[in-house]
Amino acid sequence: MNMRKLTASLTAIACAVCATSSLTVFPEEQSEKTVKIMSLGDSITDGYWTSGGYRKYLYHELEKQGYSNIDMVGPKGSDTESFSYNGENITYDGNYAGYSGYAIQYMTGTETRQGILETIQEDYGDGKNMIEAYDPDVVLLQIGTNDILSNYNTGITDRLENLITTILASMDGKDDMLYVSTIPDINIAERYDWLWSYGIDYNADPEGFTNAVQGSIDAYNNSIRELVAEKQAKGERVAFGDIHSVVDQNTDLYDGVHPNEAGYEKMGMYWANLLNTTYLNGNVTIPEPTQDSSENVTESTQDSSENITESTQDSSENVTESTQDSSENVTESTQESSEEVPVPAFIKGDISLNGIVDLQDIILLQKYLIGKEHINETAFLCSDINDDGIVNIYDFVLLKKLVLKSSN
């Protein structure tokens, strides 16, 4: 293989992706600058059945991690609240914006529900909406569970996108960030009485009922991941959160829908760790929201794609031969050790899901980062090389190193 040609192609891709992104690094002197965080959403954010919900654990965990500059903001709660935790009385900032029973936006039909969209657009003083009035640096948005409960599934992602656009329009700081999270599963067998709007008799067809509701949850959560990726590619200050991944419907729910104390604790820990490893450490990639740069990226992408295609064609035969030569040994080794060592569900870097990490995966990840390609959940996990829950330029650089290493 012509390594000079391969390196040049990889560099071209890196330049194309970097052209859409600029790393936000907070200066050291700003490390103690107050960071205002708004928890925004429905009853799960409100803390249904218990005071503080996940928010008390979020604040406490950030304090344990050394952050003394966190200011929770919103029209509800108070600056100083407390709860008992591991035998201690813990004080936390309890301000927030959670509203039990609310949907993404006002809905009427099977049920009438107030909307978060309309709520944030109200006047909170001096003609300012909620986001303008409380001016958060970070918004943690989790919404959509009530839409699912009421079978308001048609257009659910469009409504979410409208809400995201409305929030971002009022976040005026250049380093502000909106995190948009998936929603937890619902214990359908326990809570089918709340899901009457699906028009299915659970006792007569439990499998059909479960498939209808679970399918709606899965489709919505997948659409959130894709929507965030699309908006990132357009230069919008949005990041992905995956609360669905930490709340277990069998052990972490209080009533089949809302988390129990253990579930809220897991949520708080998740948000704290995500913020600690991303925003609070300046480890976020915010694309440049300029039309000119996106046009340059397109041109650069087209130019580099041709080089990559040529390089891929030149090297594909060698890679295939190498793979065929080694596959027999790998197969024999796998057969001998399969009883002792579980086979991984996926290979880091294998975004094309063909069992090989090569130039094809680099091309696919590059297209995904600039919004030219969609990938499924398994491919997303393969793309997250550093396991931080986010797929961005850092993963692209690590993937490039993997391919270069395997080519040597």
Side-chain angles (χ1 to χ4, degrees), residues 184-202:
D185 281 331
I186 297 170
N187 190 321
I188 299 165
E190 179 181 352
R191 203 72 283 169
Y192 63 85
D193 56 325
W194 287 9
L195 295 154
W196 58 267
S197 57
Y198 283 79
I200 304 173
D201 183 349
Y202 178 82

Side-chain angles (χ1 to χ4, degrees), residues 4-5 29 40 91 111 120 132 141 152-153 169 177-178 182 186 216 257 268 287 296 318 355 360 380 391 394 405-406:
R4 180 177 298 176
K5 188 173 184 179
E29 61 269 19
L40 177 64
T91 300
E111 297 177 292
I120 66 171
E132 293 169 338
L141 175 65
Y152 291 143
N153 296 307
M177 181 64 72
L178 168 61
T182 54
I186 297 170
S216 298
V257 173
N296 292 334
N318 294 332
Q360 182 179 352
F380 183 93
V391 175
Y394 299 107
K405 183 178 180 181
S406 65

Side-chain angles (χ1 to χ4, degrees), residues 287-298:
E288 294 288 353
T290 60
Q291 184 175 358
D292 292 340
S293 65
S294 63
E295 292 177 356
N296 292 334
V297 170
T298 302

Side-chain angles (χ1 to χ4, degrees), residues 15-218:
C15 291
V17 176
C18 288
T20 65
S21 306
S22 61
L23 178 63
T24 299
V25 179
F26 301 135
E28 184 175 351
E29 61 269 19
Q30 292 186 8
S31 61
E32 292 304 314
K33 179 182 177 181
T34 298
V35 177
K36 293 186 287 186
I37 301 174
M38 175 182 285
S39 293
L40 177 64
D42 51 33
S43 55
I44 297 179
T45 297
D46 191 15
Y48 183 83
W49 80 264
T50 184
S51 177
Y54 78 79
R55 299 172 284 102
K56 60 194 177 194
Y57 297 107
L58 162 64
Y59 187 86
H60 179 54
E61 181 62 20
L62 287 178
E63 277 197 324
K64 286 173 58 180
Q65 292 179 3
Y67 296 101
S68 59
N69 58 330
I70 304 300
D71 179 18
M72 303 297 291
V73 299
K76 303 181 71 175
S78 60
D79 292 339
T80 304
E81 299 182 20
S82 63
F83 72 110
S84 179
Y85 184 50
N86 293 333
E88 297 182 45
N89 187 57
I90 306 298
T91 300
Y92 68 98
D93 184 342
N95 293 307
Y96 70 107
Y99 300 86
S100 293
Y102 280 44
I104 297 171
Q105 67 182 44
Y106 175 80
M107 299 290 292
T108 186
T110 56
E111 297 177 292
T112 297
R113 292 188 181 275
Q114 300 302 314
I116 291 296
L117 175 67
E118 291 78 12
T119 301
I120 66 171
Q121 291 176 318
E122 295 174 4
D123 188 341
Y124 287 81
D126 299 326
K128 296 181 178 180
N129 63 38
M130 182 193 294
I131 306 301
E132 293 169 338
Y134 292 94
D135 193 26
D137 302 297
V138 175
V139 173
L140 307 179
L141 175 65
Q142 181 185 313
I143 192 67
T145 292
N146 289 311
D147 296 68
I148 299 292
L149 287 172
S150 296
N151 196 14
Y152 291 143
N153 296 307
T154 301
I156 188 171
T157 309
D158 293 334
R159 297 195 299 276
L160 178 63
E161 182 174 16
N162 185 34
L163 176 59
I164 290 172
T165 300
T166 302
I167 293 171
L168 289 175
S170 297
M171 296 184 75
D172 56 2
K174 67 180 182 65
D175 295 325
D176 290 351
M177 181 64 72
L178 168 61
Y179 286 81
V180 184
S181 175
T182 54
I183 63 172
D185 281 331
I186 297 170
N187 190 321
I188 299 165
E190 179 181 352
R191 203 72 283 169
Y192 63 85
D193 56 325
W194 287 9
L195 295 154
W196 58 267
S197 57
Y198 283 79
I200 304 173
D201 183 349
Y202 178 82
N203 294 314
D205 187 9
E207 182 178 358
F209 191 105
T210 299
N211 289 340
V213 178
Q214 189 62 53
S216 298
I217 295 171
D218 293 343

